[in-house]
Amino acid sequence: MGNKQEKETSKLSAMLTAKCPYCRSEKMFKYPAYSTKFNQMHKNCPKCGGNLSPEPGFYFGASYVSYGVNVAIMIAFFVATYVLYDPKEVWVYFLVIFPPIFILLPVNFRISRSIYLHLFGGVDYDPDLAKQNPTSNENKA
């Protein structure tokens, strides 16, 4: 019990926080979500050297995940609007539903890519990689 200092990150937590699927300790993206470069990913994990770009065009499939996330957000806001206010005009629903979709676009982009890589990237988590020193991966391609 005394040797385990770092808490292991769950797969769900790693997906939702866009952490590397190999070591679950380093971020997949280079910049913060609400910067102009929100879509730039590391090619390899800075800590373990894991490949975050398995093949050209791999992340095209993440658009289906993104679609599902957007539909879930729309349904949640529609139901909340209907239950709380029950507006009679359709434009009120549009006014309530679409701003969160645009505001959450960078977050949705990142989560969709992360979920897609974790579920369909053929990546196995290795807890020993999380303990590895990042400088030992300089020669790893």
Side-chain angles (χ1 to χ4, degrees):
M1 197 174 193
N3 287 0
K4 192 168 185 177
Q5 294 175 353
E6 292 183 20
K7 183 182 165 196
E8 235 178 67
T9 305
S10 71
K11 185 169 188 147
L12 180 62
S13 175
M15 279 193 275
L16 297 178
T17 56
K19 300 282 183 173
C20 169
Y22 296 94
C23 65
R24 296 183 187 167
S25 62
E26 192 65 38
K27 295 179 181 179
M28 292 172 49
F29 291 88
K30 294 179 181 180
Y31 301 101
Y34 287 100
S35 75
T36 56
K37 300 176 183 179
F38 72 91
N39 62 339
Q40 292 187 10
M41 292 180 66
H42 294 286
K43 187 173 178 122
N44 296 87
C45 176
K47 182 156 188 159
C48 70
N51 186 8
L52 300 177
S53 265
E55 60 188 51
F58 174 76
Y59 288 109
F60 285 135
S63 61
Y64 294 104
V65 177
S66 177
Y67 176 77
V69 170
N70 274 329
V71 167
I73 292 169
M74 288 176 159
I75 289 172
F77 276 89
F78 173 82
V79 170
T81 304
Y82 181 77
V83 170
L84 296 175
Y85 301 110
D86 191 23
K88 303 299 178 213
E89 297 86 13
V90 174
W91 66 268
V92 175
Y93 289 104
F94 285 102
L95 194 64
V96 171
I97 290 171
F98 286 103
I101 295 298
F102 292 113
I103 291 168
L104 295 172
L105 180 109
V107 175
N108 184 3
F109 177 86
R110 289 170 170 238
I111 288 176
S112 299
R113 282 191 167 210
S114 178
I115 290 171
Y116 195 73
L117 180 60
H118 278 266
L119 295 180
F120 303 110
V123 175
D124 292 326
Y125 169 64
D126 184 357
D128 293 330
L129 290 175
K131 299 170 191 159
Q132 194 169 309
N133 185 359
T135 57
S136 65
N137 290 313
E138 290 176 355
N139 298 328
K140 211 173 188 180

Coordinates of all heavy atoms in Angstrom, one line a residue, residues 1-9 23-25 47 125 127-132:
M1 N 0.8 -1.2 0.0 CA 0.0 0.0 0.0 C 0.9 1.3 0.0 O 0.5 2.3 -0.5 CB -0.9 0.0 1.2 CG -2.1 0.9 1.1 SD -3.1 0.6 2.6 CE -4.5 1.5 2.0
G2 N 2.1 1.2 0.6 CA 2.9 2.3 0.7 C 3.6 2.7 -0.6 O 4.0 3.8 -0.9
N3 N 3.8 1.7 -1.6 CA 4.5 2.0 -2.8 C 3.7 2.7 -3.9 O 4.2 3.4 -4.7 CB 5.0 0.7 -3.4 CG 6.2 0.1 -2.7 OD1 6.6 0.7 -1.7 ND2 6.6 -1.1 -3.1
K4 N 2.4 2.6 -3.8 CA 1.5 3.1 -4.8 C 1.2 4.6 -4.4 O 0.3 4.8 -3.7 CB 0.2 2.3 -5.0 CG -0.5 2.7 -6.2 CD -1.6 1.7 -6.5 CE -2.3 2.0 -7.8 NZ -3.3 1.1 -8.1
Q5 N 1.9 5.5 -5.0 CA 1.7 6.9 -4.7 C 0.8 7.6 -5.6 O 0.0 8.4 -5.2 CB 3.1 7.7 -4.7 CG 4.0 7.2 -3.6 CD 5.4 7.9 -3.7 OE1 5.6 8.6 -4.7 NE2 6.2 7.6 -2.8
E6 N 0.8 7.2 -6.9 CA 0.0 7.8 -7.9 C -1.3 7.0 -8.1 O -1.3 5.8 -8.2 CB 0.7 7.9 -9.3 CG 1.8 8.9 -9.3 CD 2.4 9.0 -10.7 OE1 1.8 8.6 -11.6 OE2 3.6 9.4 -10.7
K7 N -2.4 7.7 -8.1 CA -3.7 7.0 -8.3 C -3.9 6.7 -9.8 O -3.6 7.5 -10.7 CB -4.8 8.0 -7.9 CG -6.2 7.4 -8.0 CD -7.2 8.3 -7.5 CE -8.6 7.9 -8.0 NZ -9.6 8.9 -7.9
E8 N -4.3 5.5 -10.1 CA -4.5 5.0 -11.5 C -5.7 5.7 -12.1 O -6.7 5.8 -11.4 CB -4.6 3.5 -11.5 CG -3.7 2.9 -12.4 CD -3.8 1.4 -12.5 OE1 -4.9 0.9 -12.9 OE2 -2.9 0.7 -12.0
T9 N -5.6 6.2 -13.3 CA -6.7 6.9 -14.0 C -7.5 5.8 -14.7 O -7.0 5.0 -15.4 CB -6.1 7.9 -15.0 OG1 -5.2 8.8 -14.3 CG2 -7.2 8.7 -15.6
C23 N -0.5 5.5 -21.5 CA -0.1 5.7 -20.1 C -1.1 6.4 -19.3 O -1.0 6.4 -18.0 CB 1.2 6.6 -20.1 SG 1.0 8.3 -20.7
R24 N -2.1 7.0 -19.9 CA -3.2 7.7 -19.2 C -2.7 8.8 -18.2 O -3.4 9.2 -17.3 CB -4.1 6.8 -18.4 CG -4.9 5.8 -19.3 CD -5.8 4.9 -18.4 NE -6.4 3.9 -19.3 CZ -7.0 2.8 -18.8 NH1 -7.2 2.7 -17.5 NH2 -7.5 1.9 -19.6
S25 N -1.6 9.4 -18.5 CA -1.1 10.5 -17.7 C -0.8 11.8 -18.4 O -0.7 12.8 -17.7 CB 0.1 10.0 -16.9 OG 1.2 9.6 -17.8
K47 N 5.1 11.8 -22.8 CA 5.6 11.0 -21.6 C 6.1 9.6 -22.0 O 7.2 9.2 -21.7 CB 4.6 10.9 -20.5 CG 5.0 10.2 -19.3 CD 4.3 10.5 -18.1 CE 5.0 9.9 -16.9 NZ 4.7 10.5 -15.7
Y125 N -3.6 -0.2 -22.4 CA -3.0 0.6 -21.3 C -1.9 -0.2 -20.6 O -2.1 -1.4 -20.4 CB -4.2 1.0 -20.4 CG -3.7 1.5 -19.0 CD1 -3.0 2.8 -19.0 CD2 -3.9 0.9 -17.8 CE1 -2.6 3.3 -17.8 CE2 -3.5 1.4 -16.7 CZ -2.8 2.6 -16.6 OH -2.4 3.2 -15.5
P127 N 0.3 0.4 -17.2 CA 0.5 1.2 -16.0 C 2.0 1.6 -15.8 O 2.3 2.6 -15.2 CB -0.1 0.5 -14.8 CG -0.4 -0.9 -15.3 CD -0.4 -0.9 -16.8
D128 N 2.9 0.7 -16.3 CA 4.3 1.0 -16.1 C 4.7 2.2 -16.9 O 5.7 2.9 -16.6 CB 5.1 -0.2 -16.5 CG 4.9 -1.4 -15.5 OD1 4.6 -1.1 -14.3 OD2 5.0 -2.5 -16.0
L129 N 4.0 2.5 -18.0 CA 4.4 3.6 -18.9 C 4.1 5.0 -18.1 O 4.8 5.9 -18.4 CB 3.6 3.6 -20.2 CG 4.0 2.5 -21.2 CD1 3.1 2.6 -22.4 CD2 5.4 2.7 -21.6
A130 N 3.1 5.0 -17.2 CA 2.8 6.2 -16.5 C 3.9 6.6 -15.5 O 4.1 7.7 -15.2 CB 1.5 6.0 -15.8
K131 N 4.7 5.6 -15.1 CA 5.8 5.8 -14.1 C 7.1 6.1 -14.8 O 8.1 6.5 -14.2 CB 6.0 4.6 -13.3 CG 4.7 4.2 -12.5 CD 4.9 2.9 -11.8 CE 3.6 2.4 -11.2 NZ 3.5 1.0 -11.0
Q132 N 7.1 6.0 -16.1 CA 8.3 6.2 -16.9 C 8.8 7.6 -17.0 O 8.0 8.5 -16.9 CB 8.0 5.7 -18.4 CG 9.2 5.5 -19.2 CD 8.8 4.7 -20.5 OE1 8.2 3.7 -20.4 NE2 9.2 5.3 -21.6

